[in-house]
Amino acid sequence: MDSIPILKIGTALLVTIQVDMHDRLATQLQEDLTTKIVEHRARGVLIDISALEIVDSFIGRMLANIASVSRLLDADTVVVGMRPEVAITLVELGLGLPGVKTALNAERGLAMIGGVVSDEPTGDDAHDD
């Protein structure tokens, strides 16, 4: 059976969807993700859909379901790499993806969920008050 790899990056899990999704694969991904969220105490899930040229209502519902389950397990979900035509299609299908945050790329997505712990101070943490 096919599966979609789930990588741990800091306190986040990274999922890169590069294959056509079907019901069984989507169900397996959701089950695998919930197990990994609990196992790693993940604070966020980053789903990269940049390889997908088409997102239909099934994929849209699957993303919303994953976000709902992740939220119940105390993890935020961010979808990254959405192509403009995919965003237009989702809006036309009436799928606003409630509970799903989006970012243009993985770096921004990880920043949104605090998935990478860096040793270098940023502008905000460079000094103590």
Side-chain angles (χ1 to χ4, degrees), residues 100-122:
V100 179
K101 298 175 185 173
T102 59
L104 291 177
N105 57 43
E107 184 177 14
R108 286 184 180 185
L110 284 171
M112 288 174 73
I113 56 178
V116 174
V117 179
S118 174
D119 292 336
E120 294 191 28
T122 62

Side-chain angles (χ1 to χ4, degrees), residues 15-18 47-53 79-83 86 104:
V15 177
T16 302
I17 300 174
Q18 297 183 348
I47 302 175
D48 182 357
I49 63 168
S50 58
L52 298 181
E53 292 184 21
V79 173
V80 300
M82 187 177 302
R83 297 171 187 234
V86 168
L104 291 177

Side-chain angles (χ1 to χ4, degrees), residues 12-77:
L13 299 175
L14 171 63
V15 177
T16 302
I17 300 174
Q18 297 183 348
V19 296
D20 289 334
M21 296 291 289
H22 50 77
D23 291 353
R24 194 175 68 195
L25 186 57
T27 302
Q28 186 64 49
L29 174 61
Q30 189 168 320
E31 290 172 8
D32 292 348
L33 257 176
T34 55
T35 300
K36 296 275 187 187
I37 289 169
V38 172
E39 179 183 322
H40 295 293
R41 296 185 178 124
R43 303 298 293 162
V45 175
L46 191 75
I47 302 175
D48 182 357
I49 63 168
S50 58
L52 298 181
E53 292 184 21
I54 298 171
V55 174
D56 59 13
S57 61
F58 172 74
I59 298 283
R61 283 192 310 276
M62 187 253 327
L63 293 172
N65 287 346
I66 287 173
S68 295
V69 170
S70 297
R71 196 169 38 256
L72 289 173
L73 296 173
D74 197 28
D76 289 327
T77 300

Side-chain angles (χ1 to χ4, degrees), residues 85-104:
E85 55 273 14
V86 168
I88 291 168
T89 300
L90 289 173
V91 169
E92 288 173 349
L93 291 172
L95 296 171
L97 301 182
V100 179
K101 298 175 185 173
T102 59
L104 291 177

